[in-house]
Amino acid sequence: LGSLDPIKVLVTGAAGQIAYSLLYSIANGDVFGKDQPIILVLLDIPPMLPVLDGVVMELQDCALPLLREVIPTDKVEVGFKDLDAAILVGSMPRKEGMERKDLLKANVAIFKTQGAALDKYAKKTVKVLVVGNPANTNCLIAAKSAPSIPKENFSCLTRLDHNRARSQVAMRVGVPSDCVKDVVIWGNHSSTQYPDVHHAKVQMQGKEVPVFDAVKDDAWLKGDFITTVQQRGAAVIKARKLSSAMSAAKAICDHMRDIWFGTPEGEFISMGIYSSGNSYGVPDDLIFSFPLTIKNKTWKIVDGLEINDFSRGKMDATAAELVEERDTAISFLSV
């Protein structure tokens, strides 16, 4: 220890429940490496500062050797200064009876501010992960509000959906989840997302088998499997009376670790990234989830996957939703 300079990592919404499941893993070295010292910056809104103080006390009480400093704040000029990584968890949640466009309007204001703060205060190399929903569009607004930071540095979380899809297949076939690889989440982190297993493989009896051959139930794979993954967040809320926190935190760790250290050889993952110039006919200027590989902190879309008519229809539907969200959000940007 001590050979590496500390990196500065921001978590917003830091007094919330996803952050509570996330902060230990980051401070313990599970994300950025076991020899990488960390300065953790915790940003939340003023009413949450007393709660945040409690979180800071707990982080201190964990006595973690990599955690060099914890900075709790409600000020963007403190929160966004000299960042190496920003995990934007905080957003305006949807209240009952709230129109989607009202939700978008509230979040545009938040992510416009945070994008501008990244632009002004953070390192130009900062890697930004947007978790707060609607994550794809919030990420797009943040990226557009930070013109001096490359669009490639922004991503949104669809790894939770990716992990959900992997796990559903694994349970169905009766193998550990790491025996399933190359599932794809296309599109929006919403109920229109398309979990695609046409290219996925299952490790069984020492050989790789296509998912459709391993599961042997096309009706399930094209029906209940897809809706289960699409609706999983709602199912967790219904059961727990709170949204996914533990699994979201784990997905955030997976996502950031892959950005930092690259994806496993011969495997791809899903991440919402800037769509311009893709080869899959997805409209430009969206944050859209694609299959990716990552090397040297740079992502590359996995090209050449065959898209059948079933997949095309699902991809077009989620793209249409994102175009509509984007256009609504951008109409609020100038306000």
Side-chain angles (χ1 to χ4, degrees):
L1 293 178
S3 56
L4 294 172
D5 289 329
I7 57 169
K8 210 165 177 193
V9 180
L10 164 69
V11 176
T12 71
Q17 58 147 2
I18 291 177
Y20 193 74
S21 284
L22 171 68
L23 292 169
Y24 175 80
S25 295
I26 293 175
N28 192 42
D30 298 341
V31 180
F32 298 103
K34 289 290 182 194
D35 54 356
Q36 177 58 68
I38 285 185
I39 297 168
L40 254 187
V41 189
L42 307 180
L43 181 78
D44 216 313
I45 54 177
M48 297 307 289
L49 287 180
V51 178
L52 203 51
D53 286 338
V55 174
V56 173
M57 286 184 230
E58 282 209 76
L59 280 165
Q60 292 165 343
D61 297 350
C62 287
L64 297 163
L66 292 173
L67 188 56
R68 295 300 150 87
E69 195 183 346
V70 184
I71 304 169
T73 185
D74 61 353
K75 295 179 175 52
V76 292
E77 61 274 19
V78 177
F80 287 86
K81 190 156 179 48
D82 299 334
L83 295 179
D84 295 284
I87 302 170
L88 308 183
V89 180
S91 67
M92 172 79 166
R94 192 168 184 166
K95 306 243 169 48
E96 219 168 326
M98 196 181 211
E99 291 287 326
R100 194 165 176 83
K101 68 173 196 301
D102 296 331
L103 181 71
L104 275 169
K105 191 172 190 175
N107 279 297
V108 164
I110 295 169
F111 286 87
K112 182 182 177 180
T113 302
Q114 297 194 344
L118 283 163
D119 203 58
K120 189 169 176 188
Y121 301 111
K123 293 182 180 173
K124 299 307 172 199
T125 53
V126 66
K127 297 295 184 186
V128 184
L129 166 56
V130 177
V131 179
N133 283 321
N136 298 58
T137 300
N138 286 345
C139 182
L140 185 67
I141 296 301
K144 284 182 178 296
S145 305
S148 71
I149 296 170
K151 295 267 187 292
E152 291 73 39
N153 290 20
F154 288 83
S155 58
C156 85
L157 189 73
T158 58
R159 185 58 167 267
L160 178 51
D161 309 305
H162 182 98
N163 289 347
R164 285 164 170 164
R166 251 180 121 163
S167 172
Q168 287 297 318
V169 170
M171 289 189 297
R172 189 79 177 190
V173 181
V175 296
S177 58
D178 66 346
C179 292
V180 179
K181 67 175 202 185
D182 296 349
V183 303
V184 183
I185 303 297
W186 297 100
N188 199 359
H189 175 64
S190 75
S191 58
T192 68
Q193 62 170 278
Y194 171 40
D196 177 4
V197 288
H198 286 91
H199 316 283
K201 301 164 204 72
V202 182
Q203 196 78 33
M204 290 172 85
Q205 284 101 43
K207 56 178 193 290
E208 277 191 353
V209 184
V211 163
F212 275 83
D213 298 344
V215 171
K216 297 186 177 64
D217 187 343
D218 292 16
W220 180 76
L221 284 172
K222 290 180 155 185
D224 286 351
F225 161 72
I226 292 175
T227 48
T228 299
V229 176
Q230 288 174 333
Q231 307 289 341
R232 189 66 161 188
V236 171
I237 291 175
K238 195 169 181 240
R240 221 171 78 84
K241 311 291 177 263
L242 290 163
S243 61
S244 322
M246 188 199 316
S247 53
K250 160 66 165 57
I252 291 165
C253 292
D254 291 347
H255 178 120
M256 283 313 266
R257 190 186 315 107
D258 283 348
I259 288 180
W260 234 249
F261 296 106
T263 44
E265 198 55 49
E267 212 174 297
F268 49 79
I269 53 94
S270 307
M271 189 181 282
I273 49 105
Y274 197 58
S275 66
S276 289
N278 72 85
S279 63
Y280 287 107
V282 173
D284 286 348
D285 198 35
L286 297 173
I287 296 284
F288 192 95
S289 182
F290 288 95
L292 305 178
T293 56
I294 304 171
K295 207 176 182 160
N296 304 324
K297 294 191 184 160
T298 307
W299 52 257
K300 211 164 143 298
I301 294 177
V302 176
D303 280 326
L305 297 179
E306 209 174 302
I307 305 298
N308 62 21
D309 291 345
F310 178 82
S311 293
R312 186 80 258 166
K314 297 254 185 267
M315 287 163 67
D316 290 348
T318 193
E321 182 183 58
L322 278 170
V323 167
E324 192 190 353
E325 264 187 35
R326 174 195 67 196
D327 294 349
T328 307
I330 284 174
S331 72
F332 297 135
L333 253 190
S334 49
V335 176

